[in-house]
Amino acid sequence: MIVVMKVGSPEVEIERLSSELKSWGLTPEKIVGKHKVVIGLVGDTASLDPLQMEDLSPWIEKVLRVEKPFKRVSLEYRHGDRSQVVVPTPNGDVVFGHNQPVVVIAGPCSVENEAMIVETAVKVKNAGAKFLRGGAYKPRTSPYSFQGHGESALDLLAAARSASGLGIITEVMDTADVDKISKVADIVQVGARNMQNFALLKKVGAQSKPVFLKRGMSATIDEWLMAAEYILAAGNPNVILCERGIRTFDRKYCRNVLDLSVIPVLRSLTHLPIAIDPSHGTGKVDYVPDMAKAAIACGTDSLMIEVHPNPAKALSDGAQSLTPERFNQLMTQELSVIGKAMGRWQDIQVAVANS
Ligand code: PEP
Ligand code: MN
């Protein structure tokens, strides 16, 4: 349920109303939108009558029920006001959000050694990326595949952050690692395989770094949004939803099926920013550029693209990794064209001048 306050409602009245609602056993959350203040109500609201509740204060414009199973992540809960995730990085604040410049995250699947991660960081930064990705802890299908260098790779990510000024995004798989990862990462990633690891969702929800929540490979959109709801319910409002391809009957040519229709669907359901990962979505380097372009045309707020200095020798996901040169061409000659046509591209020159 949400209580929409009239424009100019006095702060003391919002406070008074919130205390009254709290005394009823509800959890009121004040959401300050661009134009209005909305009080979101979580708790047992089933027996409440929205019309009667409007009499609680002359400053109430209306009281509405949130009809969806997810509350805090729903667009209704913020009365249509879309949220932005603002992430401080050494190069300045980066904003993920609707109608903001598309934020490109790039880097290797795994952090392999210091030279490769620093080289990749500097190159993707020069091409216009704002974040460096790289796995320290890797979720691998086979226990015999490279599992990531773990804690020592976090130091290498910190070195790449210093060398490039890029923000860092890296995956957390275990509740026991959340604290040490969130010290180094500017954004923590919850991967597809852990989208419904509820203990992990609660733990990343209880820390302050933004969370990049990938869609489970067989997750419905409602399940994905409910996973995000866990993070918001635990206290962290900064969640970015990332589509990375789902499983369907035909995976002969692509590793997954990249579901770009989630962009308009999520727009209609949630206020959270949206990212697309065409690398895991297709699994093949030749298909990544076209899907990245399509994602921008569909209105994505962010892209995650795997880039490796020597894909043929990569310890994981080489087949879907672009070389830094191909990535640079994609950014400066292809994505920039679509991004500008959509009014959502920040030129590298501008980015450098502002840094
Ligand atoms: C990754 O980003 O390297 C990764 C493992 O992604 P996903 O969880 O989408 O498979
Ligand atoms: Mn990968």
Side-chain angles (χ1 to χ4, degrees):
M1 196 167 246
I2 61 166
V3 180
V4 183
M5 303 301 291
K6 288 183 182 159
V7 175
S9 292
E11 195 53 39
V12 279
E13 182 61 4
I14 296 170
E15 288 306 316
R16 187 199 63 75
L17 193 57
S18 299
S19 317
E20 177 159 359
L21 294 165
K22 224 180 261 171
S23 73
W24 296 7
L26 300 172
T27 308
E29 280 182 6
K30 189 171 100 176
I31 299 152
V32 182
K34 276 190 209 75
H35 308 293
K36 283 183 184 156
V37 170
V38 172
I39 304 174
L41 291 178
V42 179
D44 187 7
T45 55
S47 59
L48 300 176
D49 177 357
L51 276 179
Q52 267 179 13
M53 286 181 66
E54 286 177 10
D55 294 336
L56 285 173
S57 164
W59 288 97
I60 294 179
E61 186 175 299
K62 54 184 174 268
V63 178
L64 300 168
R65 249 181 221 298
V66 178
E67 306 291 349
K68 305 279 184 324
F70 33 88
K71 306 290 176 202
R72 290 169 163 100
V73 305
S74 74
L75 192 56
E76 292 162 271
Y77 193 76
R78 290 177 61 101
H79 201 47
D81 186 63
R82 299 188 185 279
S83 54
Q84 294 186 338
V85 175
V86 182
V87 191
T89 74
N91 289 337
D93 285 358
V94 181
V95 182
F96 292 77
H98 190 43
N99 292 336
Q100 295 294 314
V102 176
V103 178
V104 178
I105 300 163
C109 183
S110 311
V111 179
E112 297 174 7
N113 57 60
E114 181 159 357
M116 70 80 78
I117 196 69
V118 170
E119 175 192 337
T120 311
V122 171
K123 287 189 172 162
V124 299
K125 190 232 165 181
N126 290 339
K130 290 283 164 35
F131 284 86
L132 175 72
R133 60 147 291 140
Y137 300 86
K138 293 303 305 176
R140 303 306 301 279
T141 302
S142 164
Y144 309 118
S145 300
F146 175 57
Q147 302 285 306
H149 289 307
E151 203 165 343
S152 64
L154 296 178
D155 296 337
L156 306 184
L157 284 169
R161 187 179 190 272
S162 305
S164 64
L166 293 177
I168 297 294
I169 171 164
T170 194
E171 179 165 354
V172 59
M173 297 199 295
D174 191 325
T175 52
D177 297 328
V178 171
D179 292 343
K180 61 175 175 266
I181 290 174
S182 64
K183 277 201 189 84
V184 172
D186 299 283
I187 301 178
V188 293
Q189 174 171 323
V190 173
R193 291 158 188 81
N194 275 305
M195 189 206 82
Q196 283 188 316
N197 179 340
F198 299 115
L200 187 63
L201 297 175
K202 287 180 192 167
K203 188 88 200 243
V204 296
Q207 56 84 58
S208 61
K209 293 290 171 70
V211 180
F212 196 80
L213 179 65
K214 288 193 149 193
R215 180 184 185 179
M217 56 189 82
S218 301
T220 65
I221 289 174
D222 279 357
E223 286 164 346
W224 186 17
L225 289 172
M226 283 306 227
E229 186 83 16
Y230 266 89
I231 301 170
L232 270 75
N236 188 345
N238 294 311
V239 174
I240 300 153
L241 297 165
C242 178
E243 159 67 31
R244 46 75 72 205
I246 49 173
R247 291 210 165 174
T248 67
F249 58 92
D250 187 355
R251 297 171 63 229
K252 185 170 166 193
Y253 301 103
C254 279
R255 182 176 177 183
N256 291 295
V257 171
L258 186 66
D259 183 3
L260 288 181
S261 67
V262 298
I263 299 173
V265 173
L266 289 175
R267 276 294 177 234
S268 72
L269 295 174
T270 179
H271 55 82
L272 296 173
I274 302 164
I276 297 290
D277 171 352
S279 305
H280 295 87
T282 62
K284 293 217 175 73
V285 68
D286 289 349
Y287 308 149
V288 171
D290 284 340
M291 296 315 279
K293 284 184 264 184
I296 296 181
C298 293
T300 191
D301 304 320
S302 175
L303 281 171
M304 173 175 264
I305 298 177
E306 286 190 338
V307 176
H308 191 286
N310 186 356
K313 293 270 167 63
L315 297 180
S316 58
D317 285 351
Q320 66 193 34
S321 299
L322 273 60
T323 60
E325 295 67 36
R326 180 68 186 92
F327 176 71
N328 185 63
Q329 182 195 342
L330 176 66
M331 290 288 283
T332 56
Q333 292 170 38
E334 300 166 49
L335 300 186
S336 58
V337 176
I338 315 273
K340 281 178 193 160
M342 298 294 291
R344 300 192 62 184
W345 199 253
Q346 187 176 35
D347 271 324
I348 305 169
Q349 289 77 3
V350 177
V352 171
N354 287 345
S355 65

